[in-house]
Amino acid sequence: MISNEKSFPRGGTANLQTNGDSSTSNIVFGATQKKVRKAQKPKEKQTDTENNEQLQVVSAETLTFDSLQEHMLVMGVVKDADATSLQISLPGRMTARAQVADISDAYARVAQSYMAGDSSEYRGLSELFSVGRIVYGRAIKTENQEKNRTSLVLNLKPSDVNSNLKHSNIKKGFIFSGAIEEIQEHGCIIETGIEGLHAFMANAEAAEKHHVGELIFLKVKQIQHNADQSTCQCTKVEQDQLKIKSKNETNLDYILPGSIVKFKVTKQLKNGLEGNIMNEAFRGYVNEHHLGEALHTPKDYELNEEYLARVLYVMPLTKIVYLTFNLDISVTAEGLAKETDEGQLLRKGSIVEKARVLRHGTGGIVLLLNQKYKGLISYGSLKSNFKGNYDQDVVLAKYTRKSKHSVRVLGYDVIEALYYCSDDPNVLNEKLYTLEDLHAGDIVSARIVKQESKIGGYSVKIGKVNGIIEQLQLAPNIRYEAGQRLRCRVLDVSLERKICYLSNRNEYLSKGVKLLTTLEAAQTGKVYTGSVVKCESNFVLVKFCNGIKGVLHKQRVSGLMENSFFEGQTTKFRIAGRNLEQVLLTLPEDKFQPGEICPVEVTNALDSGLEVKITYASDDIDESQPEDEQKTEEFVGLVPLRLLSDYVDLQSAQKRTHPVGTHTNAACILQNIFSLREVPYFSENITKDWTTVQVGDILRAHVKHASEQIVELLLPVRNYNKLVKLHVKMLCLSTGQGVPVLLEPDQLLYVKVLSKEVETKTLTVSAKLTDVWSGQLTDTAKLVESYLDEVSQIKQTLKKMSAPIAKFTVGDTVNVLFKGINPTTNDWVYTVDGAATITGLMVNSLAGTGAAPEVGSKQPAVILWIDYANDILLISNKKRDIEHIGSSNNELPSNLIGKSGMKAKVLLKLDSIVVCSLKKGGTNPLVFCPLRLHPNDVEHSASASLRQGDFCNLAFIHNKLPIAVPETVWKLWKGVKRVAIVEDEKVAVKPKKIKLESVSPTKPMAQKDINGKKVKELPVQNGKKANGQLFFEDKQPSKAQIQKSNAVDEATAKARLPGISNFWDTDLSALNGKRQESVSSDEEEDAEEAAANEASASKKKRLSAKEKAKAEVKEEQRLREIEERNADPNQRPETIDQFERLVLSEPNSSKSWIQYMSFLLSNTEIDKAREIARRAIKTISFRETKELRNMWTALINLELSYNSSNFDDVLKEALNHNDPLETYLNLVEVLKSHNLKERLINTLNLIMRKFRTELQVWRVSADAYFWMDMADRVQPTLQRALGVLPKNQHINCIVAFAKLYAQNNDNAMAQTLLDDIVTSYPKRIDIWVLYVDMLIKCGLIESARNVLERAVLQKLQPDKMLVIYKKYLDFEQKHGTEVNAARVKQLAEQYVQSQNKTLK
């Protein structure tokens, strides 16, 4: 195969010019060459080749990517090997790749067999090729279209490498590279790649065991030639013994790269040595980087002396040989990881502080590192730091001989035996440059590069290090984009794969997280955070840091938790033991007990519910720290969607009212499962324990699993870790009729304890409606009332969140626009007039068979119900509904209380209630009927017979609210009084919990309002749980229950003496025959003050009628003054109440909020000012972008003034919520006001790089440089701006800079810029006028007159000339004389006359 060189002359008489001054202008084929014209010969003897110029090498340049010819033979050194390819180092610090198919034909055949399942002969590349192994092959340039760059592939196959050789020219002693094709009993058959040559290597000659496909160096020991083929016997040769004896006549094609020859030095060059090989048969060169020692120079080698050298490559057509004196390459490669006698070698990424410049050498600046190693800063890396034109002499001026610089080691080249370095500040300042800089457990900032579809995650960059975030380790509920910055925890650093694994899940980023990074730390009893990566029927596989894996056998956990694991779950595990490298796990003890109410913070909104975080004091007490600074831990739990509300149709709405960051209370159900709907229940009822459960108790339960016959229930009973199994016959009353039971996970049910087996610790329960319900319809009415109260609470919360849906009320009349008909449900779809985001929906049962209105037509409608989760109004456009349905005020007319047989129409049938409208009468509110009589009414017997659009008879069951049931149901349960008593009534008389520990009187227990109930919360004492609980709640019954219980037991309580069991319950005043009132400390203080006031008032003399009248007038005047002051818009607020009134009246005014902040800061209330800023950001409408930006700027200013450590976080928030460009421009002004020049410079560099196409960025930057007295940076900034801005903005840019120069008293520069514009663009009248105004403002009257003189000489359109003459005349009238003004008028008249002549 013949290689063609790009620049080789092919004849002709091209006039090639030579530049003798430049040593790099004539580099062809990897060496500097000069042209020597042959002497003129007689014309008849001249040939075409003799007319050509002969190339003569005069410099020993190294190989470059451009001089590397296609399919050229090159020697390389293996520097890395993996399963699919080899990384090979080439001369010139280039790297090539050799894939499996490029090794040999025999190895490709073995690899195919391995893929088919036969692995008997296959060996991996890392086993066949050690690091430092010398190879040679043909270089091929390949283009990568995706990355838009060219890479190198080195083909090592003997069939391609040796294809140009002929078997007849092979002689004894010939050295070449071959592959083991077949292993026989007496030897190995060699794959030579030379057509017609058969080679064999005897076993006696094999120094070690070989494998099929392996490449080895061979030397011909014996050879027999025939006409068609030759047979030779070879022996293996090590790479340090590839010596070729010198001969007078040798074919250079048979001296292959890697061979060792004698090199005779004939000339010392500036960048290497020139000499001869093979008894002066061929000329060769040795570059200065290929000498025997790294720090040697050409002067260290004497002329006419012979040295052993290894052939690197031969230029194909010029037959110039390039060699290296570094024969012991393998030792150099291995020495990277070893320690020598002189010290440890430099590793990649290390920084050398004082690297001394030795000289300007081939390819870059040669350095001395640590007084013993050779380094190189390439010219290419120096050029990459400059954009556009630059002066090379200026760039290289700082790299004078013996000057010292700080550099970072980028890598090591085994062929040239030097470290290639960089002094780029961005590279030097990078903290994370190699994998060795990272450790498991570190928290880093990672930048997303791209999405990896194979792993479902993202590839990221941490500094200069590559990383991966797998799908299981991604934080949920976050939108990921390329370029996004994430705060991550390093989980594993794989040096073999050259990558690190990270996670941005909150569980790993919490403050008190404990990570398992080494097997030695896996001690029994320790608790660590890990992620579930695999769930099987019998075990769960958990992964910790640094690839440590643990196994949790399900037999170690209770039956309640067997099915609670899922892949990707991150939680805490306890070490149960360790078997070699396998870690055995179990679950830690429950941090929270069932029924314990905890303050939680919502951290993520998931499809399955809400992820919450609980912060509590750590168990590890550090006595050296003050009490206020004790460590805290964070516990992550889940509130499933079903546990947000007792009612299915309100669950999504409750989720909407709890956005991320919401603080609320949740009740623990099971380890890390919490519930919001159980908070009122556990606030009023004491949580049952196994020992306190009695037969006949009615308990609250949750459905865990449901089948056709069996239902498994979870009971919130402490110390009872079993699921209760319930047969469907113990749930439904009509199971014998084949009615299907539809139950969902976590559905609420009540059960009655039928039996309790202490020995087996089992409970038998019943969930029949007749067992758990008293049969009173008043209880059903309370159920519907609680539903309506929860709907009202959702509305109020959404109203505070400024949700548009919250302004509508059931029963209101609205105007709607018809949009179309839903093809699936046939419902009529509307949009609400004035609220584009709200959808109106009329169900098909109400629409009937009538014709649909025209699309876009407006019509009135009445609101029947509101879906707060999906922003939908359920409406009716029927005229009779609009007239008969009044606005719902949740009050039942007095004439309907207790009525039955009331005829009504069913309008809507929802998941929990049925909405009806009374047929007769005037305007009445909507009537709500329950779908179930009780949570255990799974057959929906309350409204099973009701269907949308039907008429029915109703009976009202509530005295105040329009709540009713069908008349048939009312008659069925009327007067029924069952013995069943709900557990709430049984425990209502139980006392409050005993105080766990004495609490300091200065720190009273805080009370929290949970769904209208006052709940006391005992703080954590000394970081430990009190009585086994982290958070204590006072289970105080409701007032209604207290009154009811007092009425029943009052007589018994008076006559009963206190005993052991009821000692704390007893009212001590009852023993003395007195009634003691329970008054709080606040009430006692109020009573004392009232008594004191009465006493003082009694002492005063009574006022007469006249005195009373005067006092009333005085009080009236005082109140009037207060009202006038409050009503005066110009009155400056002076108190917090006045500021609160101001921001309530102007909620979208950033000025009012900022004044409020200033008032608080003047009183050193920094935290309150910060809270006001946050409150303003939440209050101001999202459409008021300017006002919001002002508030963010004020908050940034506050943090910069009082808490600089929090400044960066606030700035990131501001950038995420506002226009980044406007935010940065405001930041520049803030930094200027604080005189932070260094931070300001960094910000300017950032915005000029990030928003380089925005003109105002460059104007603001130049203004800032003037403000910092850095006027020398303004001109380069202008040049940068003109280089990146579109051409249509160049004039505006120059004008803006000219104005800045004028404002900063640099009139000369301003005139220069504007003068260039008016000269190049004379038609820009606005620039002429601006130029003149600027000169006038600077007091340069004569200069302004000269500019106007130039302007009137322009030949422009008449309308433009009119502007110039008016400007000139106005100028002379103000700043000149009457003579000058008359002259201008004369010039104008002459111009008009000339124009008239032209028109004629």
Side-chain angles (χ1 to χ4, degrees):
M1 186 180 296
I2 299 175
S3 300
N4 295 325
E5 296 177 285
K6 297 180 182 179
S7 302
F8 193 77
R10 294 295 178 184
T13 59
N15 185 15
L16 300 177
Q17 306 216 357
T18 306
N19 185 2
D21 297 336
S22 177
S23 61
T24 61
S25 60
N26 297 321
I27 299 177
V28 185
F29 311 136
T32 302
Q33 301 158 345
K34 73 177 183 180
K35 304 156 193 171
V36 180
R37 188 178 297 277
K38 283 189 174 183
Q40 191 73 20
K41 294 185 178 180
K43 189 174 182 179
E44 63 274 14
K45 293 184 180 180
Q46 283 186 350
T47 63
D48 292 340
T49 58
E50 290 171 343
N51 285 332
N52 292 337
E53 296 173 341
Q54 182 179 354
L55 300 176
Q56 181 178 350
V57 179
V58 296
S59 180
E61 292 291 337
T62 187
L63 188 65
T64 63
F65 193 86
D66 294 332
S67 61
L68 178 68
Q69 301 301 303
E70 194 77 11
H71 300 285
M72 173 179 166
L73 278 178
V74 185
M75 188 198 84
V77 178
V78 177
K79 65 178 185 178
D80 192 16
D82 54 31
T84 59
S85 64
L86 298 174
Q87 294 293 328
I88 302 174
S89 178
L90 301 182
R93 299 183 301 282
M94 293 184 292
T95 301
R97 186 181 71 259
Q99 297 179 345
V100 172
D102 300 329
I103 304 303
S104 65
D105 294 333
Y107 190 76
R109 185 178 67 253
V110 172
Q112 290 179 356
S113 301
Y114 175 75
M115 297 296 294
D118 182 12
S119 59
S120 58
E121 295 182 340
Y122 178 79
R123 296 293 183 276
L125 292 178
S126 58
E127 185 177 352
L128 298 182
F129 294 90
S130 60
V131 176
R133 166 76 182 276
I134 294 177
V135 295
Y136 69 89
R138 293 195 180 275
I140 303 172
K141 297 180 181 180
T142 60
E143 294 184 0
N144 191 332
Q145 299 294 339
E146 296 181 357
K147 298 183 179 180
N148 194 22
R149 66 181 185 182
T150 305
S151 59
L152 292 178
V153 173
L154 195 66
N155 188 357
L156 307 179
K157 295 171 65 173
S159 58
D160 292 334
V161 173
N162 302 328
S163 59
N164 291 343
L165 305 181
K166 297 181 179 180
H167 69 90
S168 58
N169 294 337
I170 303 299
K171 300 179 181 179
K172 181 181 178 181
F174 173 66
I175 296 176
F176 67 101
S177 177
I180 305 296
E181 184 174 3
E182 183 181 351
I183 299 177
Q184 297 181 349
E185 183 178 357
H186 301 289
C188 303
I189 297 178
I190 303 300
E191 175 190 334
T192 63
I194 303 174
E195 186 178 0
L197 179 63
H198 300 278
F200 180 81
M201 182 179 66
N203 281 341
E205 303 295 337
E208 56 186 10
K209 185 178 180 180
H210 295 283
H211 307 285
V212 176
E214 179 182 3
L215 286 176
I216 57 175
F217 283 108
L218 298 164
K219 185 175 184 179
V220 177
K221 188 176 181 181
Q222 296 179 359
I223 187 168
Q224 296 179 355
H225 293 285
N226 292 326
D228 298 330
Q229 64 181 7
S230 301
T231 304
C232 67
Q233 184 176 355
C234 303
T235 180
K236 180 183 176 182
V237 183
E238 298 295 334
Q239 63 184 29
D240 57 347
Q241 298 177 359
L242 304 178
K243 297 180 181 179
I244 299 178
K245 295 182 179 179
S246 300
K247 298 181 180 179
N248 293 329
E249 295 181 0
T250 304
N251 189 345
L252 192 57
D253 292 337
Y254 291 83
I255 302 178
L256 299 176
S259 302
I260 299 176
V261 298
K262 289 184 178 181
F263 179 87
K264 184 177 181 180
V265 179
T266 60
K267 187 177 181 180
Q268 294 176 346
L269 305 176
K270 180 180 179 181
N271 57 355
L273 298 172
E274 180 182 349
N276 299 317
I277 63 171
M278 310 306 292
N279 290 334
E280 302 184 2
F282 304 101
R283 190 161 35 130
Y285 290 89
V286 177
N287 185 263
E288 62 175 326
H289 299 317
H290 296 149
L291 300 177
E293 296 292 338
L295 298 178
H296 280 185
T297 62
K299 296 181 180 180
D300 295 330
Y301 296 86
E302 299 181 1
L303 297 178
N304 298 323
E305 287 291 330
E306 288 188 347
Y307 302 91
L308 290 179
R310 191 185 298 274
V311 177
L312 294 176
Y313 55 91
V314 179
M315 298 308 297
L317 297 180
T318 57
K319 301 303 180 184
I320 300 174
V321 185
Y322 291 87
L323 309 96
T324 177
F325 287 167
N326 185 10
L327 303 181
D328 202 6
I329 291 179
S330 61
V331 176
T332 307
E334 295 171 357
L336 283 174
K338 295 182 179 180
E339 293 186 2
T340 62
D341 296 338
E342 300 178 358
Q344 189 174 4
L345 298 180
L346 300 175
R347 66 176 182 87
K348 180 180 178 181
S350 60
I351 296 178
V352 180
E353 295 294 342
K354 297 180 180 181
R356 184 161 56 89
V357 176
L358 296 178
R359 60 184 179 278
H360 291 195
T362 304
I365 310 298
V366 181
L367 306 172
L368 179 63
L369 308 178
N370 292 347
Q371 304 299 323
K372 51 187 173 181
Y373 304 121
K374 182 179 179 181
L376 183 75
I377 302 178
S378 65
Y379 293 133
S381 65
L382 296 177
K383 295 178 182 178
S384 63
N385 297 331
F386 297 88
K387 295 181 180 179
N389 298 327
Y390 63 94
D391 191 343
Q392 183 175 352
D393 295 336
V394 175
V395 174
L396 299 179
K398 71 173 185 177
Y399 299 101
T400 58
R401 190 170 179 270
K402 294 185 179 181
S403 62
K404 294 181 180 180
H405 306 270
S406 295
V407 297
R408 184 186 286 273
V409 176
L410 305 182
Y412 183 81
D413 188 80
V414 296
I415 296 180
E416 296 185 356
L418 56 81
Y419 296 92
Y420 45 96
C421 312
S422 173
D423 65 342
D424 186 357
N426 295 329
V427 177
L428 284 173
N429 297 331
E430 184 60 60
K431 296 181 180 178
L432 302 176
Y433 193 80
T434 62
L435 281 174
E436 289 79 3
D437 298 330
L438 291 174
H439 303 88
D442 292 347
I443 292 182
V444 296
S445 175
R447 178 177 56 85
I448 296 178
V449 178
K450 64 177 181 178
Q451 185 175 8
E452 297 289 347
S453 57
K454 294 182 180 179
I455 61 174
Y458 293 87
S459 61
V460 297
K461 275 279 190 183
I462 314 103
K464 298 294 183 180
V465 182
N466 296 324
I468 287 288
I469 305 179
E470 298 175 314
Q471 186 176 16
L472 295 179
Q473 301 298 346
L474 285 171
N477 202 32
I478 296 179
R479 183 179 179 181
Y480 297 95
E481 296 178 353
Q484 183 179 354
R485 285 276 180 184
L486 300 176
R487 186 170 178 262
C488 302
R489 174 87 68 176
V490 179
L491 300 181
D492 190 9
V493 178
S494 177
L495 297 177
E496 296 179 357
R497 299 181 180 180
K498 297 181 179 179
I499 204 166
C500 67
Y501 296 89
L502 306 100
S503 175
N504 69 325
R505 294 183 65 93
N506 290 332
E507 294 89 337
Y508 284 114
L509 295 177
S510 59
K511 297 179 181 178
V513 64
K514 295 182 180 179
L515 302 176
L516 179 61
T517 57
T518 61
L519 281 173
E520 291 74 14
Q523 299 178 3
T524 303
K526 294 287 187 178
V527 178
Y528 297 102
T529 299
S531 298
V532 176
V533 295
K534 190 175 183 181
C535 292
E536 296 293 340
S537 58
N538 298 325
F539 68 91
V540 175
L541 186 63
V542 182
K543 191 174 183 180
F544 299 96
C545 295
N546 283 334
I548 301 174
K549 294 182 179 179
V551 177
L552 173 64
H553 296 282
K554 291 190 176 181
Q555 63 186 9
R556 291 180 175 269
V557 299
S558 63
L560 301 179
M561 298 295 296
E562 284 186 4
N563 300 318
S564 62
F565 298 101
F566 56 91
E567 292 185 2
Q569 180 182 4
T570 301
T571 184
K572 295 181 180 180
F573 298 90
R574 185 178 294 279
I575 307 297
R578 182 161 66 94
N579 184 10
L580 298 179
E581 294 186 358
Q582 186 182 38
V583 181
L584 303 178
L585 304 173
T586 185
L587 293 178
E589 294 79 9
D590 295 344
K591 183 64 70 173
F592 303 99
Q593 296 294 327
E596 186 174 356
I597 299 176
C598 314
V600 301
E601 178 185 356
V602 179
T603 57
N604 273 315
L606 312 175
D607 294 337
S608 58
L610 298 177
E611 186 180 76
V612 296
K613 177 182 67 174
I614 304 171
T615 305
Y616 58 92
S618 174
D619 292 338
D620 300 331
I621 303 301
D622 188 358
E623 297 181 355
S624 62
Q625 291 186 352
E627 185 176 353
D628 297 339
E629 300 180 3
Q630 290 294 337
K631 294 182 179 179
T632 59
E633 293 185 10
E634 293 180 352
F635 184 86
V636 178
L638 177 69
V639 181
L641 187 65
R642 195 68 176 80
L643 297 182
L644 291 175
S645 173
D646 287 337
Y647 311 99
V648 178
D649 50 347
L650 300 183
Q651 293 164 6
S652 298
Q654 284 285 13
K655 178 182 174 182
R656 182 180 180 183
T657 59
H658 291 82
V660 175
T662 303
H663 292 268
T664 184
N665 292 282
C668 179
I669 300 300
L670 178 66
Q671 193 144 8
N672 62 337
I673 304 299
F674 293 83
S675 171
L676 296 185
R677 74 182 188 188
E678 314 296 335
V679 172
Y681 174 79
F682 286 117
S683 299
E684 301 171 358
N685 299 279
I686 297 177
T687 307
K688 289 287 185 179
D689 189 85
W690 166 252
T691 57
T692 60
V693 174
Q694 302 296 329
V695 175
D697 288 346
I698 295 179
L699 306 176
R700 193 175 172 101
H702 308 275
V703 176
K704 291 298 291 183
H705 311 289
S707 62
E708 294 181 359
Q709 298 295 329
I710 302 297
V711 179
E712 293 182 339
L713 301 175
L714 172 64
L715 301 181
V717 177
R718 295 178 181 176
N719 300 326
Y720 184 72
N721 299 325
K722 292 183 179 180
L723 293 176
V724 177
K725 293 186 178 181
L726 180 72
H727 197 275
V728 73
K729 291 182 180 180
M730 303 300 292
L731 176 63
C732 300
L733 300 175
S734 57
T735 52
Q737 303 176 4
V739 179
V741 179
L742 300 178
L743 297 176
E744 298 179 357
D746 294 323
Q747 182 173 340
L748 173 64
L749 290 177
Y750 285 90
V751 296
K752 182 177 182 180
V753 180
L754 300 180
S755 66
K756 175 181 178 182
E757 297 293 338
V758 180
E759 295 180 357
T760 58
K761 205 173 183 178
T762 56
L763 293 175
T764 303
V765 298
S766 171
K768 285 184 179 180
L769 182 62
T770 53
D771 289 334
V772 298
W773 183 45
S774 63
Q776 299 293 326
L777 291 178
T778 54
D779 293 341
T780 305
K782 292 179 181 179
L783 187 68
V784 181
E785 183 181 0
S786 67
Y787 175 83
L788 296 177
D789 290 342
E790 187 170 342
V791 172
S792 177
Q793 181 185 2
I794 292 173
K795 178 182 177 180
Q796 295 300 325
T797 304
L798 292 177
K799 191 172 183 180
K800 294 179 181 178
M801 298 169 60
S802 301
I805 192 69
K807 68 180 181 180
F808 298 98
T809 305
V810 174
D812 289 348
T813 302
V814 294
N815 293 324
V816 293
L817 303 175
F818 184 70
K819 188 177 181 181
I821 299 177
N822 190 322
T824 304
T825 61
N826 293 325
D827 297 335
W828 289 12
V829 183
Y830 294 84
T831 57
V832 180
D833 188 19
T837 59
I838 308 300
T839 302
L841 193 69
M842 187 168 70
V843 296
N844 58 357
S845 61
L846 292 175
T849 58
E854 295 182 359
V855 176
S857 60
K858 181 187 294 187
Q859 53 187 189
V862 62
I863 300 175
L864 305 180
W865 193 249
I866 302 176
D867 183 359
Y868 291 105
N870 302 308
D871 287 342
I872 296 177
L873 301 179
L874 299 176
I875 60 174
S876 173
N877 65 351
K878 303 301 180 183
K879 185 176 180 180
R880 60 179 179 273
D881 292 337
I882 298 175
E883 294 176 352
H884 291 169
I885 299 174
S887 180
S888 177
N889 54 2
N890 289 337
E891 292 185 3
L892 181 67
S894 58
N895 61 333
L896 297 178
I897 297 176
K899 291 288 185 179
S900 62
M902 303 300 295
K903 193 152 188 173
K905 181 181 179 181
V906 179
L907 301 178
L908 295 173
K909 192 171 184 179
L910 305 175
D911 292 329
S912 299
I913 61 172
V914 178
V915 182
C916 304
S917 174
L918 296 179
K919 186 177 180 181
K920 295 182 180 180
T923 301
N924 291 310
L926 292 171
V927 181
F928 306 109
C929 300
L931 206 64
R932 290 175 290 274
L933 295 171
H934 187 269
N936 285 40
D937 185 10
V938 295
E939 299 160 312
H940 300 177
S941 61
S943 302
S945 60
L946 300 182
R947 293 182 301 176
Q948 288 185 165
D950 292 350
F951 289 92
C952 62
N953 292 325
L954 301 178
F956 289 96
I957 60 175
H958 201 281
N959 294 331
K960 295 182 179 180
L961 300 177
I963 300 174
V965 294
E967 189 176 23
T968 56
V969 177
W970 179 75
K971 291 180 179 180
L972 178 63
W973 295 98
K974 178 183 177 182
V976 175
K977 295 183 179 180
R978 306 192 63 83
V979 183
I981 301 175
V982 184
E983 184 199 13
D984 295 1
E985 299 176 0
K986 295 178 64 177
V987 300
V989 297
K990 290 195 175 182
K992 299 181 181 180
K993 281 196 174 180
I994 303 172
K995 293 184 179 180
L996 301 180
E997 290 184 18
S998 60
V999 185
S1000 173
T1002 59
K1003 296 182 179 179
M1005 291 187 292
Q1007 290 191 355
K1008 291 193 175 182
D1009 190 3
I1010 305 175
N1011 295 336
K1013 310 292 182 182
K1014 291 293 183 178
V1015 178
K1016 293 187 178 181
E1017 184 183 27
L1018 187 66
V1020 177
Q1021 299 176 3
N1022 296 330
K1024 294 185 178 181
K1025 297 189 292 183
N1027 200 16
Q1029 289 188 338
L1030 284 178
F1031 301 97
F1032 174 74
E1033 66 280 358
D1034 184 6
K1035 311 262 177 123
Q1036 181 179 0
S1038 61
K1039 294 181 179 179
Q1041 292 171 330
I1042 294 175
Q1043 293 174 359
K1044 186 175 181 181
S1045 61
N1046 288 342
V1048 175
D1049 299 334
E1050 184 176 359
T1052 306
K1054 289 182 179 180
R1056 186 175 55 194
L1057 291 175
I1060 298 299
S1061 61
N1062 59 354
F1063 177 80
W1064 296 105
D1065 299 2
T1066 306
D1067 188 357
L1068 298 180
S1069 63
L1071 299 177
N1072 300 326
K1074 298 180 180 179
R1075 182 70 177 173
Q1076 183 179 0
E1077 296 179 358
S1078 58
V1079 182
S1080 65
S1081 60
D1082 293 339
E1083 292 174 346
E1084 292 176 356
E1085 292 175 1
D1086 294 341
E1088 292 175 359
E1089 291 178 3
N1093 293 335
E1094 290 179 0
S1096 61
S1098 62
K1099 294 180 180 179
K1100 292 183 179 179
K1101 183 180 179 181
R1102 288 191 175 185
L1103 299 177
S1104 63
K1106 186 176 181 181
E1107 291 174 341
K1108 287 183 179 179
K1110 288 183 179 180
E1112 290 176 357
V1113 171
K1114 188 175 182 181
E1115 180 67 14
E1116 183 69 22
Q1117 291 178 351
R1118 187 181 67 85
L1119 295 176
R1120 185 180 293 109
E1121 290 175 0
I1122 295 175
E1123 291 175 354
E1124 289 177 354
R1125 184 167 61 251
N1126 293 336
D1128 186 8
N1130 298 324
Q1131 180 68 28
R1132 182 178 179 86
E1134 296 177 355
T1135 63
I1136 292 180
D1137 292 338
Q1138 293 176 356
F1139 275 104
E1140 287 290 342
R1141 192 180 297 109
L1142 176 63
V1143 297
L1144 286 175
S1145 62
E1146 299 175 351
N1148 290 331
S1149 173
S1150 60
K1151 181 180 178 181
S1152 301
W1153 290 100
I1154 293 174
Q1155 288 177 354
Y1156 196 176
M1157 291 175 60
S1158 302
F1159 171 77
L1160 293 173
L1161 290 174
S1162 64
N1163 296 328
T1164 66
E1165 296 286 348
I1166 300 172
D1167 292 337
K1168 290 185 178 179
R1170 187 180 293 110
E1171 293 174 1
I1172 290 299
R1174 294 287 183 181
R1175 176 179 154 198
I1177 292 170
K1178 293 181 179 179
T1179 303
I1180 297 176
S1181 174
F1182 65 92
R1183 294 183 178 90
E1184 303 291 338
T1185 56
K1186 185 177 180 181
E1187 305 295 328
L1188 283 172
R1189 190 164 56 248
N1190 292 341
M1191 289 310 307
W1192 279 108
T1193 303
L1195 183 58
I1196 290 173
N1197 200 350
L1198 186 148
E1199 297 295 347
L1200 198 61
S1201 301
Y1202 300 98
N1203 187 10
S1204 59
S1205 61
N1206 199 31
F1207 169 75
D1208 293 333
D1209 295 335
V1210 174
L1211 178 59
K1212 290 179 181 178
E1213 282 187 76
L1215 293 173
N1216 292 333
H1217 290 81
N1218 300 277
D1219 182 13
L1221 175 58
E1222 296 293 335
T1223 304
Y1224 275 120
L1225 295 180
N1226 291 341
L1227 176 62
V1228 170
E1229 299 301 322
V1230 172
L1231 294 175
K1232 288 167 64 176
S1233 64
H1234 288 272
N1235 199 23
L1236 298 176
K1237 293 186 178 181
E1238 184 176 355
R1239 191 185 289 267
L1240 177 59
I1241 292 174
N1242 296 333
T1243 303
L1244 294 178
N1245 293 333
L1246 176 63
I1247 63 175
M1248 286 190 291
R1249 182 177 68 254
K1250 197 171 184 179
F1251 307 99
R1252 54 180 176 273
T1253 58
E1254 298 292 336
L1255 174 59
Q1256 55 181 334
V1257 168
W1258 301 100
R1259 180 182 56 79
V1260 170
S1261 300
D1263 187 27
Y1265 283 137
F1266 276 120
W1267 177 82
M1268 292 185 291
D1269 295 330
M1270 296 182 178
D1272 55 332
R1273 293 194 179 188
V1274 178
Q1275 182 62 23
T1277 302
L1278 175 60
Q1279 298 302 324
R1280 286 181 59 188
L1282 296 178
V1284 296
L1285 289 174
K1287 290 185 178 180
N1288 57 357
Q1289 295 188 17
H1290 283 190
I1291 295 179
N1292 296 335
C1293 179
I1294 297 174
V1295 170
F1297 274 72
K1299 290 180 179 179
L1300 291 175
Y1301 275 110
Q1303 293 172 5
N1304 291 274
N1305 299 324
D1306 194 349
N1307 299 325
M1309 192 64 188
Q1311 292 183 50
T1312 302
L1313 294 176
L1314 292 178
D1315 199 77
D1316 291 340
I1317 296 178
V1318 297
T1319 303
S1320 303
Y1321 303 93
K1323 296 182 180 180
R1324 291 292 301 267
I1325 301 301
D1326 55 335
I1327 307 299
W1328 286 102
V1329 174
L1330 175 67
Y1331 193 5
V1332 172
D1333 291 340
M1334 187 200 71
L1335 293 174
I1336 294 174
K1337 188 175 181 181
C1338 297
L1340 303 175
I1341 304 301
E1342 286 300 324
S1343 299
R1345 183 176 287 108
N1346 294 335
V1347 172
L1348 289 171
E1349 284 289 344
R1350 290 170 54 192
V1352 298
L1353 296 177
Q1354 305 297 323
K1355 296 181 180 180
L1356 305 177
Q1357 296 179 1
D1359 55 343
K1360 294 184 178 181
M1361 294 302 297
L1362 176 62
V1363 175
I1364 294 177
Y1365 278 108
K1366 282 186 176 180
K1367 183 67 177 177
Y1368 198 0
L1369 180 60
D1370 182 68
F1371 169 78
E1372 292 297 346
Q1373 289 176 350
K1374 291 182 179 180
H1375 304 282
T1377 60
E1378 296 181 357
V1379 176
N1380 292 338
R1383 178 175 172 275
V1384 173
K1385 292 179 180 179
Q1386 184 179 359
L1387 292 175
E1389 292 175 357
Q1390 294 176 359
Y1391 173 77
V1392 173
Q1393 293 176 0
S1394 63
Q1395 289 295 318
N1396 292 335
K1397 291 181 181 179
T1398 305
L1399 293 176
K1400 293 179 181 180

